[in-house]
Amino acid sequence: MSAAQPSRRAALAMGAAALALAPGLRRAFATEPARRIVSIGGAVTEIVFALGEQDRLVGRDATSTHPPEAEALPDVGYMRALSSEGVLSLRPDLIVAAEGAGPPEAVALLREAAVPFATIPEGHDRAAVAAKIRAVADALGAPERGAALAAEVDAALARAMAQAAAPDGQSPARVLFILSMQGGRVLASGRGTGADGIIALAGAVNAVDAFEGYKPLTDEAVIAAAPDVILMMDRGEGHEAARRDVVGHAALALTPAARAGRLVRLDGLLLLGFGPRTPQAISVLASALADAG
């Protein structure tokens, strides 16, 4: 490739920068608050709405489905499969993205386009929820409102966790979180995931702790996990269809959870978002686990 023929990446970067700096879009190093914000990540968008700053949003990613009003905004695609051109076509003067947004090449191009880009740290415990709220508020230039919202949510978290804790002398429920069962393979949560975090906050224990992240389980590992309850995301396919998949699985059918029909399905963003609704997620999950028991 000659010097006169720039690489595709360089051409994209130049085009993105030209679009981002189009006349009237924004002034470099502007001191006024951003007015055209693209929010990437369901919990990030929830926080923007909870802060009362939704009028500044001009776009959101596909995981941003709550509150319902968010879905009226232009959709820039799934947060891990973004198109830099699609994001920049909305002429943002600020991009606020959850940690893990990607792919890396798209994020690199967005950063090169001279549009402020704030990355919001992820986490799966009580402290992480407050930190996420404060980080979004800081990015939006609303630290005082962020501190107030973080304190409010943290107090609600403390109450929900206290109510969810197993009574003295009672063993906490063993919960197996199944992300998917494609092809009959059980893809389950180990340590360090959002599922692992919300299970702990709800006063239960993860039935799988031999690995980190999400991994497929062998039939032997499924049986050895011996879950009291099976937890899944509600994907809208119908509760009975999911139940048939679980009880009809050769290994799952042998677990205490499947034998007793203890299957809990909850909204994925509520369950795993770790945003302002986390206290509600804890209460809903703890109640569902109690009912399943």
Side-chain angles (χ1 to χ4, degrees), residues 107-253:
V107 172
L109 287 171
L110 291 172
R111 290 184 180 278
E112 291 169 8
V115 179
F117 190 105
T119 297
I120 307 303
E122 288 289 351
H124 307 125
D125 57 19
R126 175 179 170 182
V129 175
K132 187 182 297 186
I133 292 171
R134 289 193 297 268
V136 172
D138 287 349
L140 270 58
E144 292 184 359
R145 265 174 290 166
L149 179 62
E152 177 185 336
V153 172
D154 189 65
L157 276 169
R159 293 192 296 270
M161 291 169 62
Q163 293 169 358
D168 290 342
Q170 180 177 318
S171 298
R174 292 176 55 80
V175 180
L176 173 64
F177 178 82
I178 299 177
L179 184 62
S180 72
M181 293 182 60
Q182 291 184 352
R185 301 189 72 188
V186 174
L187 183 62
S189 165
R191 303 185 309 273
T193 66
D196 183 55
I198 200 67
I199 288 169
L201 290 176
V205 295
N206 191 346
V208 178
D209 63 0
F211 56 82
E212 292 189 359
Y214 293 95
K215 292 184 179 180
L217 298 182
T218 64
D219 286 355
E220 292 79 9
V222 169
I223 296 169
D228 300 309
V229 178
I230 293 170
L231 176 61
M232 303 176 72
M233 290 190 291
D234 187 349
R235 301 184 187 276
E237 71 272 38
H239 189 75
E240 288 306 314
R243 186 178 296 277
R244 286 195 300 271
D245 288 342
V246 170
V247 300
H249 188 277
L252 288 170

Side-chain angles (χ1 to χ4, degrees), residues 66-78:
H66 186 89
E69 295 87 341
E71 296 192 83
L73 292 164
D75 184 347
V76 298
Y78 179 54

